[in-house]
Amino acid sequence: MKAGPSQEEVRRHNLGTLLRYVHIHGATSRAELTTKLGLNRSTIGALTADLTAVGLVTEKGQRETGRAGRPSLVVRPESSKVYAYALNIEVDRLRAARVGLGGTILDRREAPRPRGMQVVDAVQPLAGFIHEMRKDVPEGARYVGAGLAIAGMVRRADGMVRLAPTIGWVEEPVGEALVEEIGDVGPMIVGNIADVSALVEHSRGAAAGRDNVIYLYGDVGVGAGIIAGGRRITGHGGYGGEVGHMVVNPYGRPCSCGSRGCWETEIGEYALLKLAGREDRSGREAILDVVEAAMRGDWMAQQAVRHVGEWIGLGVGNLVNIFNPEAIIFGGTLRDVYLVAAAQIRSRLNEVALPACREHIRLRTPELGADAALIGAAELAFERLLEDPLLGSGS
């Protein structure tokens, strides 16, 4: 007969559960923690004391509420003193942030990324950002790790970027290159931008409280972060969610992946700009210009947005039939297109999706905005701490 968990294992599990709750929900009273976690008051008191002792949370009294009895202590994550570095490599920009426990962005840096930039040229400014941010880290602060989110296919086992066609990289060990350039950052956990954005929008953003969610991220290409039953669906090697390469038009345009008629050839950046007669331009600003022109009544821009909206709705309808999500979130440049093409998207979705799958669906934009990718990259680094808050503390 297999032995049950020891008291120490139960304690560490409860510590992780409590810290994760406060990390996601922010300042929480002991009374609420008792209710939400299903533990008694004395256990909550002991757990918060342990987390306070290792510098992960603080406890302070609430303001008087006018109710009888002593106010419950409020547990807060030590956001300013426990932090991770978050890095994003996007099609047109490089971003870095120091993110505190609780998902608070404490410091940030950003630089444009010229298209065609190779790995060696991308890691240098990102490493420079980290060196700059280190200068403002308070004395005694605890560093827990670093996470990198990239618009590409990432091998889960070792963080190898297998394919990032919109960036132009194939089989690139980007995480290793960053660690070598920075020098002493420790392990660099690498993930896909759509995946990590889905993770935080599900836990603390537009999809909080919903366990079946698809986060669509668009730029030149399209990817998805998929949450099913409260868990990320990443597939065997970590490559799941490449919905932009779902073939929707077999006789369509060639795709950067080598196939033809992929969804991103109909709804990505190039498709919208070409339809709007602006194929000589590229990037987020060019997309925003088309969207704004459509809102002002520019006929060609309106036709382009409507056409792309129809194709978005078609693809979303297929995803709704396959995954039966509660919410679809449109991130990246798809957010901007969705805001002016919502009617076309919803109409086409209703034509394609089965009634039982579509009747409850909610279409949303990210609550965390562009910061979802940064906060999500930090979550990759925080995960080890949240699994075992006492790891490395000597307790």
Side-chain angles (χ1 to χ4, degrees):
M1 182 180 293
K2 187 177 179 180
S6 66
Q7 285 187 335
E8 178 60 18
E9 288 172 331
V10 171
R11 170 178 169 253
R12 285 181 178 258
H13 170 78
N14 288 339
L15 283 167
T17 301
L18 192 154
L19 183 62
R20 190 182 297 274
Y21 190 91
V22 174
H23 171 65
I24 292 172
H25 298 280
T28 309
S29 71
R30 279 196 188 184
E32 183 179 342
L33 288 170
T34 299
T35 301
K36 295 293 185 180
L37 304 186
L39 300 171
N40 61 46
R41 287 185 296 173
S42 61
T43 299
I44 292 294
L47 294 173
T48 55
D50 287 343
L51 293 175
T52 300
V54 294
L56 297 175
V57 303
T58 59
E59 287 189 286
K60 293 182 180 179
Q62 286 181 321
R63 293 180 178 177
E64 293 294 336
T65 62
R67 298 177 181 175
R70 186 173 61 183
S72 178
L73 290 172
V74 174
V75 183
R76 292 177 171 82
E78 274 281 27
S79 299
S80 63
K81 296 181 180 178
V82 183
Y83 69 96
Y85 287 118
L87 304 170
N88 287 174
I89 298 177
E90 302 173 27
V91 170
D92 290 321
R93 61 181 175 174
L94 304 170
R95 296 195 298 158
R98 184 164 62 90
V99 182
L101 187 67
T104 303
I105 294 182
L106 305 169
D107 196 357
R108 68 170 78 219
R109 301 287 189 280
E110 181 174 324
R113 177 192 174 274
R115 297 194 178 183
M117 175 183 277
Q118 296 306 303
V119 173
V120 65
D121 299 312
V123 299
Q124 289 175 350
L126 287 172
F129 291 156
I130 287 183
H131 292 313
E132 289 174 13
M133 290 188 289
R134 279 177 172 165
K135 298 174 184 177
D136 296 321
V137 175
E139 187 176 350
R142 178 177 174 182
Y143 168 67
V144 301
L148 165 67
I150 186 169
M153 296 176 67
V154 178
R155 185 162 62 202
R156 182 171 52 206
D158 59 4
M160 171 73 75
V161 177
R162 298 295 307 277
L163 177 65
T166 60
I167 293 178
W169 297 349
V170 179
E171 300 292 342
E172 292 285 1
V174 183
E176 290 182 12
L178 269 166
V179 170
E180 184 176 338
E181 184 69 27
I182 297 167
D184 57 351
V185 76
M188 177 74 64
I189 304 172
V190 186
N192 173 273
I193 280 183
D195 279 342
V196 302
S197 298
L199 179 69
V200 294
E201 286 291 343
H202 168 246
S203 63
R204 63 174 85 235
R210 295 184 172 94
D211 281 345
N212 297 279
V213 180
I214 297 176
Y215 181 102
L216 294 174
Y217 175 84
D219 47 37
V220 174
V222 178
I226 301 168
I227 306 285
R231 293 176 174 270
R232 281 189 297 162
I233 301 297
T234 56
H236 172 67
Y239 314 129
E242 290 296 326
V243 299
H245 299 291
M246 170 174 62
V247 175
V248 295
N249 184 0
Y251 306 103
R253 291 185 293 275
C255 180
S256 61
C257 73
S259 186
R260 179 179 291 274
C262 292
W263 194 26
E264 68 181 44
T265 67
E266 301 291 351
I267 70 172
E269 175 188 298
Y270 296 145
L272 180 66
L273 294 176
K274 183 173 183 178
L275 288 165
R278 306 183 187 208
E279 57 264 50
D280 58 330
R281 298 189 59 193
S282 63
R284 174 80 185 277
E285 291 303 316
I287 296 291
L288 288 174
D289 286 346
V290 172
V291 168
E292 290 171 2
M295 294 173 69
R296 292 195 306 268
D298 181 292
W299 183 84
M300 197 167 185
Q302 287 180 335
Q303 291 299 108
V305 168
R306 286 171 182 160
H307 181 87
V308 168
E310 291 279 344
W311 280 105
I312 293 174
L314 173 72
V316 168
N318 286 329
L319 294 175
V320 166
N321 285 340
I322 296 168
F323 293 103
N324 188 207
E326 299 162 78
I328 302 282
I329 302 173
F330 297 93
T333 54
L334 288 180
R335 171 192 178 276
D336 307 306
V337 176
Y338 169 74
L339 291 175
V340 291
Q344 285 78 27
I345 294 171
R346 172 60 82 169
S347 176
R348 193 75 170 115
L349 162 63
N350 288 344
E351 292 175 4
V352 173
L354 297 167
C357 294
R358 72 169 189 256
E359 60 192 8
H360 58 277
I361 196 77
R362 298 289 181 268
L363 306 183
R364 296 284 185 265
T365 57
E367 191 170 305
L368 300 173
D371 285 342
L374 280 174
I375 298 171
E379 289 297 296
L380 298 176
F382 279 124
E383 186 56 35
R384 189 162 172 260
L385 174 70
L386 298 175
E387 283 289 332
D388 188 353
L390 300 185
L391 192 66
S393 69
S395 297

